[in-house]
Amino acid sequence: MVKTIKTKRLPKDPGPAGWNEIYKDKSSFPALDTDIEVDWVIVGGGFAGLGAAKRLLQLLGSKERIAVIEARGIAQGPAGRNSGFMLDLPHELNSDTYAGSKEQDLRQIRLNREAITMAESIAQQYGMDKALFSRSGKITASATDRGYRSIETYARHLTALGEPYELLGADDLHSLLGTEFYRKGLRTARTAMIQPAGYIHSAYKGLVSEGVQVYECSPVVEMTLNDDVHTLICANGVVRAKNVIMAVNGHIQSFGFFKQSLLHIFTYSSMTRALKNHELKALGGIENWGVLPADPMGSTIRKISDHAGSGHRIVVRNHATLNQSMEASEGNLKDAARLQDRSFARRFPMLKGVDMEYRWGGRLCLTYNSVPAFGEIENRVWSACCQNGLGTVKGMLSGMMAVDKAVLGDTELLNEFLIYQAPKRLPPEPFLSVGANATLKWKEWLSGIEL
Ligand SMILES: Cc1cc2nc3c(=O)[nH]c(=O)nc-3n(C[C@H](O)[C@H](O)[C@H](O)COP(=O)(O)OP(=O)(O)OC[C@H]3O[C@@H](n4cnc5c(N)ncnc54)[C@H](O)[C@@H]3O)c2cc1C
């Protein structure tokens, strides 16, 4: 049976990915300008694409030909736009409304750690330094009563899960972070922190050294699925492949799959210019740190150390909008910029006058019931999509799991991963967008100065 799918939409990412702009050791990859034949083609060069390609190499070695096709530049999409927290612990633990089950959380932690171990072995094998990947842990911190309560709940859940943590007071936070903004915090040790664009560039460069063909700026605009060989048409070339892994996150919907099930959320970041020596001195604190807000709608902040001349900088992430069109507007970016400037001024009065050099937004894909868009969606076409926010880890995991499913069929890890329901159907428009954006705004307002 032959089925032709025309891609309805191609990815558009607002603003320059700051992490990619400051990364000096960028590799460029060719665009596909000819016809190629491979055994496996992976569509999407983010974390899911990486997890899939690496797992294929692990399971099949150089026996089979593998290609990755990316629409944009490698690390210009969400993979190079995120805040770089590779979280091992379930994120929702720090919400007021936490209602998870212990067994489910322990399973998720095991799976997350498999993915982080994979990310770490990629970093080691391809010679990345600590600025690109490190197990530096993370701090969840707060400056409001509401946030303190979340930290207490978080601590109780971690105790119940048998996970170690360290509580931090205002003085600890001041000496670690420089800022006096935060009053209470909680540190866990096993989160990995990455320079997302640097990590992704180095990882894909490493894949090429192992024989994987990586093409960037080559959007797949049409697919013809066939009984024996699938054909993918890109802007200037064609891929024929026996097996296809779709690692396009929310854009799986642009190929006609998982209709009415995917929420397309944009979130936004600003990155300062490189700080001058006297500014760094005025700030104080340790070289490199990452803080997640105790209130999920608050600001994520990172201080990054100089890497190959990119400078010490502060990165602020906050604000979320639902854009079912899969495009963010100029107005969205302006709103985010205003909120981020306010957040920066509150936390870093000693850095008054330091401008933001880069501002950008990026897409996340969520389902109503927080399950992935995963599985064999057509004969020998697997989806490793929709990571429900924490895609540096869950993307890597779903790419690995798609390959395990395709090549091995049944493994212990896969059986753990596959315990979830189908994605729930979304309410119709315009109710969905109006309701969701109003709720997001309300929650941002509730988060107070945490934002
Ligand atoms: C500002 C921000 C902060 C974030 N912070 C964090 C964080 O700290 N920790 C965390 O875990 N997650 C974070 N995320 C989320 C994380 O970036 C994503 O969940 C993750 O990138 C998803 O990985 P993925 O590989 O599934 O998809 P993506 O990274 O989105 O990769 C999919 C790729 O498919 C490509 N593609 C789409 N259509 C086509 C086509 N037709 N042809 C070819 N290629 C195509 C896209 O260009 C894209 O590069 C953040 C996101 C943003 C925007």
PDB file of all heavy atoms in Angstrom, residues 345-377:
ATOM      1  N   ALA A 345      16.120  42.283  36.976  1.00  0.00           N
ATOM      2  CA  ALA A 345      16.339  43.453  37.843  1.00  0.00           C
ATOM      3  C   ALA A 345      16.084  43.086  39.309  1.00  0.00           C
ATOM      4  O   ALA A 345      16.803  43.533  40.203  1.00  0.00           O
ATOM      5  CB  ALA A 345      15.435  44.598  37.411  1.00  0.00           C
ATOM      6  N   ARG A 346      15.057  42.262  39.550  1.00  0.00           N
ATOM      7  CA  ARG A 346      14.753  41.854  40.932  1.00  0.00           C
ATOM      8  C   ARG A 346      15.875  41.037  41.562  1.00  0.00           C
ATOM      9  O   ARG A 346      16.169  41.165  42.738  1.00  0.00           O
ATOM     10  CB  ARG A 346      13.517  40.934  40.918  1.00  0.00           C
ATOM     11  CG  ARG A 346      12.220  41.662  41.029  1.00  0.00           C
ATOM     12  CD  ARG A 346      11.101  40.639  41.110  1.00  0.00           C
ATOM     13  NE  ARG A 346       9.841  41.327  41.076  1.00  0.00           N
ATOM     14  CZ  ARG A 346       8.776  40.919  40.403  1.00  0.00           C
ATOM     15  NH1 ARG A 346       8.819  39.798  39.694  1.00  0.00           N
ATOM     16  NH2 ARG A 346       7.669  41.596  40.444  1.00  0.00           N
ATOM     17  N   ARG A 347      16.452  40.175  40.761  1.00  0.00           N
ATOM     18  CA  ARG A 347      17.458  39.254  41.308  1.00  0.00           C
ATOM     19  C   ARG A 347      18.860  39.843  41.317  1.00  0.00           C
ATOM     20  O   ARG A 347      19.692  39.448  42.128  1.00  0.00           O
ATOM     21  CB  ARG A 347      17.457  37.947  40.499  1.00  0.00           C
ATOM     22  CG  ARG A 347      16.245  37.081  40.810  1.00  0.00           C
ATOM     23  CD  ARG A 347      15.964  36.096  39.693  1.00  0.00           C
ATOM     24  NE  ARG A 347      14.828  35.243  40.000  1.00  0.00           N
ATOM     25  CZ  ARG A 347      13.548  35.608  39.877  1.00  0.00           C
ATOM     26  NH1 ARG A 347      13.247  36.834  39.468  1.00  0.00           N
ATOM     27  NH2 ARG A 347      12.574  34.758  40.174  1.00  0.00           N
ATOM     28  N   PHE A 348      19.141  40.741  40.369  1.00  0.00           N
ATOM     29  CA  PHE A 348      20.530  41.202  40.207  1.00  0.00           C
ATOM     30  C   PHE A 348      20.626  42.730  40.210  1.00  0.00           C
ATOM     31  O   PHE A 348      21.064  43.327  39.220  1.00  0.00           O
ATOM     32  CB  PHE A 348      21.110  40.626  38.906  1.00  0.00           C
ATOM     33  CG  PHE A 348      21.005  39.124  38.820  1.00  0.00           C
ATOM     34  CD1 PHE A 348      20.058  38.525  37.990  1.00  0.00           C
ATOM     35  CD2 PHE A 348      21.820  38.302  39.583  1.00  0.00           C
ATOM     36  CE1 PHE A 348      19.941  37.142  37.922  1.00  0.00           C
ATOM     37  CE2 PHE A 348      21.719  36.920  39.518  1.00  0.00           C
ATOM     38  CZ  PHE A 348      20.776  36.329  38.692  1.00  0.00           C
ATOM     39  N   PRO A 349      20.239  43.370  41.337  1.00  0.00           N
ATOM     40  CA  PRO A 349      20.333  44.832  41.355  1.00  0.00           C
ATOM     41  C   PRO A 349      21.784  45.300  41.147  1.00  0.00           C
ATOM     42  O   PRO A 349      22.020  46.402  40.637  1.00  0.00           O
ATOM     43  CB  PRO A 349      19.813  45.198  42.764  1.00  0.00           C
ATOM     44  CG  PRO A 349      19.834  43.937  43.556  1.00  0.00           C
ATOM     45  CD  PRO A 349      19.698  42.809  42.587  1.00  0.00           C
ATOM     46  N   MET A 350      22.749  44.449  41.549  1.00  0.00           N
ATOM     47  CA  MET A 350      24.164  44.838  41.391  1.00  0.00           C
ATOM     48  C   MET A 350      24.592  44.843  39.909  1.00  0.00           C
ATOM     49  O   MET A 350      25.684  45.297  39.586  1.00  0.00           O
ATOM     50  CB  MET A 350      25.065  43.908  42.221  1.00  0.00           C
ATOM     51  CG  MET A 350      25.196  42.469  41.733  1.00  0.00           C
ATOM     52  SD  MET A 350      23.640  41.544  41.735  1.00  0.00           S
ATOM     53  CE  MET A 350      23.631  40.787  43.321  1.00  0.00           C
ATOM     54  N   LEU A 351      23.736  44.305  39.023  1.00  0.00           N
ATOM     55  CA  LEU A 351      24.083  44.272  37.594  1.00  0.00           C
ATOM     56  C   LEU A 351      23.246  45.268  36.786  1.00  0.00           C
ATOM     57  O   LEU A 351      23.044  45.079  35.580  1.00  0.00           O
ATOM     58  CB  LEU A 351      23.899  42.843  37.036  1.00  0.00           C
ATOM     59  CG  LEU A 351      24.771  41.764  37.675  1.00  0.00           C
ATOM     60  CD1 LEU A 351      24.511  40.397  37.041  1.00  0.00           C
ATOM     61  CD2 LEU A 351      26.258  42.112  37.549  1.00  0.00           C
ATOM     62  N   LYS A 352      22.784  46.291  37.461  1.00  0.00           N
ATOM     63  CA  LYS A 352      21.978  47.333  36.785  1.00  0.00           C
ATOM     64  C   LYS A 352      22.744  47.851  35.562  1.00  0.00           C
ATOM     65  O   LYS A 352      23.943  48.102  35.647  1.00  0.00           O
ATOM     66  CB  LYS A 352      21.726  48.474  37.785  1.00  0.00           C
ATOM     67  CG  LYS A 352      20.648  49.419  37.375  1.00  0.00           C
ATOM     68  CD  LYS A 352      20.220  50.253  38.588  1.00  0.00           C
ATOM     69  CE  LYS A 352      19.000  51.061  38.263  1.00  0.00           C
ATOM     70  NZ  LYS A 352      19.177  52.301  37.687  1.00  0.00           N
ATOM     71  N   GLY A 353      22.061  47.957  34.449  1.00  0.00           N
ATOM     72  CA  GLY A 353      22.719  48.481  33.238  1.00  0.00           C
ATOM     73  C   GLY A 353      23.259  47.391  32.327  1.00  0.00           C
ATOM     74  O   GLY A 353      23.681  47.668  31.213  1.00  0.00           O
ATOM     75  N   VAL A 354      23.260  46.121  32.807  1.00  0.00           N
ATOM     76  CA  VAL A 354      23.718  45.031  31.932  1.00  0.00           C
ATOM     77  C   VAL A 354      22.579  44.664  30.977  1.00  0.00           C
ATOM     78  O   VAL A 354      21.486  44.321  31.419  1.00  0.00           O
ATOM     79  CB  VAL A 354      24.146  43.790  32.768  1.00  0.00           C
ATOM     80  CG1 VAL A 354      24.431  42.597  31.862  1.00  0.00           C
ATOM     81  CG2 VAL A 354      25.358  44.121  33.634  1.00  0.00           C
ATOM     82  N   ASP A 355      22.852  44.744  29.682  1.00  0.00           N
ATOM     83  CA  ASP A 355      21.782  44.492  28.694  1.00  0.00           C
ATOM     84  C   ASP A 355      21.685  43.020  28.333  1.00  0.00           C
ATOM     85  O   ASP A 355      22.635  42.271  28.482  1.00  0.00           O
ATOM     86  CB  ASP A 355      22.094  45.225  27.380  1.00  0.00           C
ATOM     87  CG  ASP A 355      22.115  46.706  27.579  1.00  0.00           C
ATOM     88  OD1 ASP A 355      21.314  47.190  28.381  1.00  0.00           O
ATOM     89  OD2 ASP A 355      22.968  47.359  26.943  1.00  0.00           O
ATOM     90  N   MET A 356      20.518  42.677  27.804  1.00  0.00           N
ATOM     91  CA  MET A 356      20.334  41.347  27.231  1.00  0.00           C
ATOM     92  C   MET A 356      20.864  41.386  25.795  1.00  0.00           C
ATOM     93  O   MET A 356      20.494  42.268  25.027  1.00  0.00           O
ATOM     94  CB  MET A 356      18.846  40.970  27.214  1.00  0.00           C
ATOM     95  CG  MET A 356      18.244  40.859  28.595  1.00  0.00           C
ATOM     96  SD  MET A 356      19.015  39.500  29.523  1.00  0.00           S
ATOM     97  CE  MET A 356      18.317  39.777  31.158  1.00  0.00           C
ATOM     98  N   GLU A 357      21.707  40.404  25.465  1.00  0.00           N
ATOM     99  CA  GLU A 357      22.249  40.392  24.100  1.00  0.00           C
ATOM    100  C   GLU A 357      21.386  39.540  23.160  1.00  0.00           C
ATOM    101  O   GLU A 357      21.256  39.852  21.985  1.00  0.00           O
ATOM    102  CB  GLU A 357      23.682  39.846  24.123  1.00  0.00           C
ATOM    103  CG  GLU A 357      24.346  39.940  22.761  1.00  0.00           C
ATOM    104  CD  GLU A 357      25.839  39.661  22.783  1.00  0.00           C
ATOM    105  OE1 GLU A 357      26.418  39.486  23.888  1.00  0.00           O
ATOM    106  OE2 GLU A 357      26.421  39.609  21.692  1.00  0.00           O
ATOM    107  N   TYR A 358      20.808  38.473  23.700  1.00  0.00           N
ATOM    108  CA  TYR A 358      19.990  37.581  22.856  1.00  0.00           C
ATOM    109  C   TYR A 358      18.658  37.323  23.535  1.00  0.00           C
ATOM    110  O   TYR A 358      18.603  37.120  24.754  1.00  0.00           O
ATOM    111  CB  TYR A 358      20.690  36.230  22.644  1.00  0.00           C
ATOM    112  CG  TYR A 358      22.037  36.351  21.998  1.00  0.00           C
ATOM    113  CD1 TYR A 358      23.201  36.136  22.732  1.00  0.00           C
ATOM    114  CD2 TYR A 358      22.143  36.709  20.653  1.00  0.00           C
ATOM    115  CE1 TYR A 358      24.445  36.262  22.144  1.00  0.00           C
ATOM    116  CE2 TYR A 358      23.386  36.841  20.052  1.00  0.00           C
ATOM    117  CZ  TYR A 358      24.542  36.618  20.807  1.00  0.00           C
ATOM    118  OH  TYR A 358      25.770  36.754  20.218  1.00  0.00           O
ATOM    119  N   ARG A 359      17.609  37.282  22.711  1.00  0.00           N
ATOM    120  CA  ARG A 359      16.283  36.898  23.227  1.00  0.00           C
ATOM    121  C   ARG A 359      15.675  35.927  22.231  1.00  0.00           C
ATOM    122  O   ARG A 359      15.765  36.144  21.016  1.00  0.00           O
ATOM    123  CB  ARG A 359      15.381  38.118  23.327  1.00  0.00           C
ATOM    124  CG  ARG A 359      15.914  39.205  24.273  1.00  0.00           C
ATOM    125  CD  ARG A 359      14.781  40.129  24.586  1.00  0.00           C
ATOM    126  NE  ARG A 359      15.207  41.373  25.200  1.00  0.00           N
ATOM    127  CZ  ARG A 359      15.244  41.600  26.508  1.00  0.00           C
ATOM    128  NH1 ARG A 359      14.934  40.633  27.367  1.00  0.00           N
ATOM    129  NH2 ARG A 359      15.580  42.780  26.969  1.00  0.00           N
ATOM    130  N   TRP A 360      15.050  34.881  22.764  1.00  0.00           N
ATOM    131  CA  TRP A 360      14.487  33.899  21.847  1.00  0.00           C
ATOM    132  C   TRP A 360      13.328  33.155  22.506  1.00  0.00           C
ATOM    133  O   TRP A 360      13.097  33.269  23.716  1.00  0.00           O
ATOM    134  CB  TRP A 360      15.560  32.903  21.401  1.00  0.00           C
ATOM    135  CG  TRP A 360      16.085  31.985  22.478  1.00  0.00           C
ATOM    136  CD1 TRP A 360      15.642  30.731  22.772  1.00  0.00           C
ATOM    137  CD2 TRP A 360      17.176  32.235  23.403  1.00  0.00           C
ATOM    138  NE1 TRP A 360      16.388  30.181  23.812  1.00  0.00           N
ATOM    139  CE2 TRP A 360      17.319  31.083  24.217  1.00  0.00           C
ATOM    140  CE3 TRP A 360      18.035  33.324  23.626  1.00  0.00           C
ATOM    141  CZ2 TRP A 360      18.285  30.990  25.222  1.00  0.00           C
ATOM    142  CZ3 TRP A 360      18.992  33.225  24.633  1.00  0.00           C
ATOM    143  CH2 TRP A 360      19.101  32.072  25.414  1.00  0.00           C
ATOM    144  N   GLY A 361      12.620  32.412  21.682  1.00  0.00           N
ATOM    145  CA  GLY A 361      11.571  31.529  22.182  1.00  0.00           C
ATOM    146  C   GLY A 361      11.779  30.147  21.590  1.00  0.00           C
ATOM    147  O   GLY A 361      12.599  29.968  20.681  1.00  0.00           O
ATOM    148  N   GLY A 362      11.047  29.179  22.093  1.00  0.00           N
ATOM    149  CA  GLY A 362      11.164  27.826  21.552  1.00  0.00           C
ATOM    150  C   GLY A 362       9.938  27.006  21.893  1.00  0.00           C
ATOM    151  O   GLY A 362       9.215  27.324  22.833  1.00  0.00           O
ATOM    152  N   ARG A 363       9.741  25.970  21.103  1.00  0.00           N
ATOM    153  CA  ARG A 363       8.536  25.133  21.244  1.00  0.00           C
ATOM    154  C   ARG A 363       8.718  23.968  22.200  1.00  0.00           C
ATOM    155  O   ARG A 363       9.780  23.347  22.227  1.00  0.00           O
ATOM    156  CB  ARG A 363       8.198  24.507  19.881  1.00  0.00           C
ATOM    157  CG  ARG A 363       7.191  25.222  19.063  1.00  0.00           C
ATOM    158  CD  ARG A 363       7.183  24.673  17.654  1.00  0.00           C
ATOM    159  NE  ARG A 363       8.469  24.853  17.008  1.00  0.00           N
ATOM    160  CZ  ARG A 363       9.314  23.882  16.688  1.00  0.00           C
ATOM    161  NH1 ARG A 363       9.016  22.629  16.924  1.00  0.00           N
ATOM    162  NH2 ARG A 363      10.465  24.138  16.115  1.00  0.00           N
ATOM    163  N   LEU A 364       7.666  23.686  22.918  1.00  0.00           N
ATOM    164  CA  LEU A 364       7.558  22.441  23.681  1.00  0.00           C
ATOM    165  C   LEU A 364       6.312  21.737  23.168  1.00  0.00           C
ATOM    166  O   LEU A 364       5.395  22.390  22.682  1.00  0.00           O
ATOM    167  CB  LEU A 364       7.313  22.695  25.159  1.00  0.00           C
ATOM    168  CG  LEU A 364       8.191  23.650  25.928  1.00  0.00           C
ATOM    169  CD1 LEU A 364       7.646  23.803  27.342  1.00  0.00           C
ATOM    170  CD2 LEU A 364       9.587  23.090  25.995  1.00  0.00           C
ATOM    171  N   CYS A 365       6.263  20.436  23.360  1.00  0.00           N
ATOM    172  CA  CYS A 365       5.031  19.725  23.003  1.00  0.00           C
ATOM    173  C   CYS A 365       4.549  18.965  24.236  1.00  0.00           C
ATOM    174  O   CYS A 365       5.333  18.280  24.903  1.00  0.00           O
ATOM    175  CB  CYS A 365       5.328  18.765  21.861  1.00  0.00           C
ATOM    176  SG  CYS A 365       3.898  17.785  21.397  1.00  0.00           S
ATOM    177  N   LEU A 366       3.271  19.148  24.532  1.00  0.00           N
ATOM    178  CA  LEU A 366       2.665  18.476  25.697  1.00  0.00           C
ATOM    179  C   LEU A 366       1.401  17.748  25.251  1.00  0.00           C
ATOM    180  O   LEU A 366       0.770  18.148  24.268  1.00  0.00           O
ATOM    181  CB  LEU A 366       2.231  19.513  26.735  1.00  0.00           C
ATOM    182  CG  LEU A 366       3.212  20.039  27.785  1.00  0.00           C
ATOM    183  CD1 LEU A 366       4.409  20.703  27.138  1.00  0.00           C
ATOM    184  CD2 LEU A 366       2.527  21.043  28.688  1.00  0.00           C
ATOM    185  N   THR A 367       1.027  16.720  25.988  1.00  0.00           N
ATOM    186  CA  THR A 367      -0.320  16.167  25.813  1.00  0.00           C
ATOM    187  C   THR A 367      -1.092  16.465  27.097  1.00  0.00           C
ATOM    188  O   THR A 367      -0.497  16.723  28.153  1.00  0.00           O
ATOM    189  CB  THR A 367      -0.302  14.646  25.562  1.00  0.00           C
ATOM    190  OG1 THR A 367       0.470  14.022  26.585  1.00  0.00           O
ATOM    191  CG2 THR A 367       0.267  14.307  24.200  1.00  0.00           C
ATOM    192  N   TYR A 368      -2.402  16.396  26.991  1.00  0.00           N
ATOM    193  CA  TYR A 368      -3.281  16.701  28.115  1.00  0.00           C
ATOM    194  C   TYR A 368      -2.974  15.814  29.313  1.00  0.00           C
ATOM    195  O   TYR A 368      -3.009  16.241  30.450  1.00  0.00           O
ATOM    196  CB  TYR A 368      -4.721  16.464  27.655  1.00  0.00           C
ATOM    197  CG  TYR A 368      -5.689  17.531  28.069  1.00  0.00           C
ATOM    198  CD1 TYR A 368      -5.408  18.867  27.833  1.00  0.00           C
ATOM    199  CD2 TYR A 368      -6.899  17.201  28.685  1.00  0.00           C
ATOM    200  CE1 TYR A 368      -6.297  19.848  28.199  1.00  0.00           C
ATOM    201  CE2 TYR A 368      -7.794  18.184  29.059  1.00  0.00           C
ATOM    202  CZ  TYR A 368      -7.482  19.507  28.810  1.00  0.00           C
ATOM    203  OH  TYR A 368      -8.361  20.482  29.173  1.00  0.00           O
ATOM    204  N   ASN A 369      -2.679  14.547  29.043  1.00  0.00           N
ATOM    205  CA  ASN A 369      -2.402  13.604  30.129  1.00  0.00           C
ATOM    206  C   ASN A 369      -0.913  13.272  30.243  1.00  0.00           C
ATOM    207  O   ASN A 369      -0.537  12.225  30.774  1.00  0.00           O
ATOM    208  CB  ASN A 369      -3.244  12.324  29.975  1.00  0.00           C
ATOM    209  CG  ASN A 369      -3.224  11.760  28.569  1.00  0.00           C
ATOM    210  OD1 ASN A 369      -2.891  12.448  27.625  1.00  0.00           O
ATOM    211  ND2 ASN A 369      -3.582  10.497  28.435  1.00  0.00           N
ATOM    212  N   SER A 370      -0.050  14.184  29.731  1.00  0.00           N
ATOM    213  CA  SER A 370       1.417  14.077  29.883  1.00  0.00           C
ATOM    214  C   SER A 370       2.017  12.765  29.401  1.00  0.00           C
ATOM    215  O   SER A 370       2.959  12.248  30.011  1.00  0.00           O
ATOM    216  CB  SER A 370       1.813  14.285  31.351  1.00  0.00           C
ATOM    217  OG  SER A 370       1.312  15.491  31.825  1.00  0.00           O
ATOM    218  N   VAL A 371       1.489  12.218  28.313  1.00  0.00           N
ATOM    219  CA  VAL A 371       2.062  10.981  27.762  1.00  0.00           C
ATOM    220  C   VAL A 371       2.745  11.324  26.433  1.00  0.00           C
ATOM    221  O   VAL A 371       2.397  12.321  25.803  1.00  0.00           O
ATOM    222  CB  VAL A 371       0.979   9.891  27.546  1.00  0.00           C
ATOM    223  CG1 VAL A 371       0.355   9.484  28.862  1.00  0.00           C
ATOM    224  CG2 VAL A 371      -0.089  10.361  26.558  1.00  0.00           C
ATOM    225  N   PRO A 372       3.704  10.524  26.001  1.00  0.00           N
ATOM    226  CA  PRO A 372       4.376  10.838  24.733  1.00  0.00           C
ATOM    227  C   PRO A 372       3.541  10.446  23.517  1.00  0.00           C
ATOM    228  O   PRO A 372       2.589   9.670  23.632  1.00  0.00           O
ATOM    229  CB  PRO A 372       5.649   9.985  24.809  1.00  0.00           C
ATOM    230  CG  PRO A 372       5.317   8.852  25.717  1.00  0.00           C
ATOM    231  CD  PRO A 372       4.301   9.367  26.693  1.00  0.00           C
ATOM    232  N   ALA A 373       3.925  10.993  22.359  1.00  0.00           N
ATOM    233  CA  ALA A 373       3.326  10.563  21.083  1.00  0.00           C
ATOM    234  C   ALA A 373       4.305   9.558  20.503  1.00  0.00           C
ATOM    235  O   ALA A 373       5.242   9.916  19.786  1.00  0.00           O
ATOM    236  CB  ALA A 373       3.152  11.771  20.172  1.00  0.00           C
ATOM    237  N   PHE A 374       4.135   8.317  20.876  1.00  0.00           N
ATOM    238  CA  PHE A 374       5.172   7.303  20.669  1.00  0.00           C
ATOM    239  C   PHE A 374       4.582   6.065  19.996  1.00  0.00           C
ATOM    240  O   PHE A 374       3.412   5.741  20.195  1.00  0.00           O
ATOM    241  CB  PHE A 374       5.753   6.900  22.038  1.00  0.00           C
ATOM    242  CG  PHE A 374       6.879   5.911  21.940  1.00  0.00           C
ATOM    243  CD1 PHE A 374       8.178   6.358  21.753  1.00  0.00           C
ATOM    244  CD2 PHE A 374       6.635   4.549  22.017  1.00  0.00           C
ATOM    245  CE1 PHE A 374       9.224   5.444  21.658  1.00  0.00           C
ATOM    246  CE2 PHE A 374       7.672   3.632  21.921  1.00  0.00           C
ATOM    247  CZ  PHE A 374       8.972   4.084  21.752  1.00  0.00           C
ATOM    248  N   GLY A 375       5.395   5.360  19.250  1.00  0.00           N
ATOM    249  CA  GLY A 375       4.997   4.044  18.752  1.00  0.00           C
ATOM    250  C   GLY A 375       5.143   3.919  17.246  1.00  0.00           C
ATOM    251  O   GLY A 375       5.558   4.855  16.564  1.00  0.00           O
ATOM    252  N   GLU A 376       4.794   2.740  16.740  1.00  0.00           N
ATOM    253  CA  GLU A 376       4.874   2.496  15.292  1.00  0.00           C
ATOM    254  C   GLU A 376       3.599   3.054  14.671  1.00  0.00           C
ATOM    255  O   GLU A 376       2.523   2.483  14.822  1.00  0.00           O
ATOM    256  CB  GLU A 376       5.036   1.003  14.997  1.00  0.00           C
ATOM    257  CG  GLU A 376       5.347   0.746  13.537  1.00  0.00           C
ATOM    258  CD  GLU A 376       5.748  -0.701  13.243  1.00  0.00           C
ATOM    259  OE1 GLU A 376       5.730  -1.553  14.163  1.00  0.00           O
ATOM    260  OE2 GLU A 376       6.060  -0.974  12.060  1.00  0.00           O
ATOM    261  N   ILE A 377       3.708   4.175  13.973  1.00  0.00           N
ATOM    262  CA  ILE A 377       2.514   4.887  13.503  1.00  0.00           C
ATOM    263  C   ILE A 377       2.122   4.457  12.093  1.00  0.00           C
ATOM    264  O   ILE A 377       0.995   4.666  11.666  1.00  0.00           O
ATOM    265  CB  ILE A 377       2.714   6.423  13.580  1.00  0.00           C
ATOM    266  CG1 ILE A 377       4.066   6.829  13.001  1.00  0.00           C
ATOM    267  CG2 ILE A 377       2.581   6.907  15.020  1.00  0.00           C
ATOM    268  CD1 ILE A 377       4.347   8.326  13.006  1.00  0.00           C
TER     269      ILE A 377
END
